[in-house]
Amino acid sequence: MFSEENPKRLAQVALVALLIVGCVAVLLPFIGAVLFAFVLWMCTWSWYSQKLLPRLGGRATLGASLMTLLLVLVMLLPTVFLAVSLASGADGLVELARPYLERGLPADPPFGLAQLPLIGGDIDAFWHQVAGSREEFNRVVKQLAGPARKLALAAGAIAGNGLLQLALVLFVVFFLYRDGFAVDKALTTAARKLGGELGEHMLNKTSDTVLGVMLGIVGTAAAQGAVAMLGFLIAGVPTAVLLGFATFFLSMIPVGPPLIWGGAAAWLYAEGQTGWAIFMALYGLLVISSIDNFVKPLLMARGAGLSIVLIALGVLGGVLVFGFIGIFLGPVLLALGHMLFTRWTREELPA
């Protein structure tokens, strides 16, 4: 039989559930930025609280401002610099394509295209068809103009949204640094209340996994940037150091490095250095981009204390399900699931 307190308790549970749903709905458009801010905070909190903050006399607002400024210098300024460099490169690409737009394609395709296996014959036939008719050339240009315009607009929208999300990350992380001790205590208390000793272990495992994933991302980016810089220097590509730093920053996204070494290969080919262009393309494909497939899972697995299989599956599955933030969420979820399963299987059955 229902007691008099049951309707009241049911109403309290319903109100709490509605409150949770409302909070999630409000934060949903910014959940990625908020989670990434927590990732940055977790990865740097130990150094900040133990090294930087004591030297500032414990002034939390000043420390949070300095850390946020440091993140701006590390994340935002290089992004803007690379955007300006890419815009300048786009201008050069337009100037390179201008003679072809005015006079049409040359009669014969570039050396080596017709000799490509499987597709060389089709490329050669299509090239002669377009080069032999101005009307056909104009038709192809018109067909390409629409997708190119849509691609440019989409890239601009992505870049604008990325800058907005980055600004939101910096805004949130400032308050995480300023109130970091309270946040740390609240997380520890909540984990202890929810799961006791197991909850604390899960919180520590989450922190270790996030640190491991960040180590893998930054370490892989550094390796790709260094190897790319070496390749650019060998091939004689100008501003090799700048392109190496660009590879470092763009390696955070899956298609980032090919944009750099592919552009370098295209520039070498346009300069008539076909051999170096082929070298750059092969070097980029087999060396620069391949590092991501080997070094990243190894560093992540070592930093997080997990097997390479779990890290690889967590990163790939997390990205497919959650987007960029899934790079961290996927391994964390698998790490916690693995820890719970291991703990459960080690428990002895009652006699």
Side-chain angles (χ1 to χ4, degrees), residues 208-278:
D208 292 341
T209 304
V210 169
L211 284 172
V213 172
M214 183 61 76
L215 173 65
I217 292 176
V218 176
T220 303
Q224 285 187 308
V227 170
M229 187 184 303
L230 178 62
F232 297 144
L233 289 172
I234 293 174
V237 179
T239 64
V241 176
L242 174 62
L243 293 177
F245 278 105
T247 304
F248 169 79
F249 288 107
L250 290 182
S251 66
M252 309 295 177
I253 58 177
V255 295
L259 294 177
I260 305 299
W261 59 257
W267 180 85
L268 289 169
Y269 183 82
E271 292 294 314
Q273 304 181 43
T274 306
W276 284 115
I278 295 175

Side-chain angles (χ1 to χ4, degrees), residues 139-296:
R139 184 183 66 81
V140 172
V141 171
K142 289 180 180 178
Q143 287 180 346
L144 295 176
R149 188 181 300 110
K150 292 181 180 179
L151 179 62
L153 292 175
I158 292 174
N161 181 66
L163 289 176
L164 180 61
Q165 293 290 330
L166 187 56
L168 182 59
V169 168
L170 296 173
F171 176 76
V172 174
V173 82
F174 168 82
F175 292 97
L176 289 176
Y177 285 124
R178 193 193 67 175
D179 306 321
F181 289 103
V183 174
D184 187 30
K185 182 178 179 181
L187 290 175
T188 304
T189 302
R192 189 181 298 116
K193 285 187 175 182
L194 288 174
E197 181 185 355
L198 177 60
E200 291 189 48
H201 285 316
M202 293 181 68
L203 183 61
N204 292 331
K205 191 66 174 180
T206 299
S207 178
D208 292 341
T209 304
V210 169
L211 284 172
V213 172
M214 183 61 76
L215 173 65
I217 292 176
V218 176
T220 303
Q224 285 187 308
V227 170
M229 187 184 303
L230 178 62
F232 297 144
L233 289 172
I234 293 174
V237 179
T239 64
V241 176
L242 174 62
L243 293 177
F245 278 105
T247 304
F248 169 79
F249 288 107
L250 290 182
S251 66
M252 309 295 177
I253 58 177
V255 295
L259 294 177
I260 305 299
W261 59 257
W267 180 85
L268 289 169
Y269 183 82
E271 292 294 314
Q273 304 181 43
T274 306
W276 284 115
I278 295 175
F279 163 79
M280 194 72 252
L282 293 176
Y283 184 85
L285 182 64
L286 300 178
V287 180
I288 300 175
S289 293
S290 296
I291 289 178
D292 186 73
N293 300 324
F294 301 101
V295 176
K296 182 180 291 184

Side-chain angles (χ1 to χ4, degrees), residues 15-39:
L15 286 176
V16 172
L18 288 176
L19 179 61
I20 294 175
V21 171
C23 292
V24 171
V26 171
L27 294 177
L28 191 59
F30 319 109
I31 193 67
V34 173
L35 289 176
F36 189 58
F38 268 94
V39 166

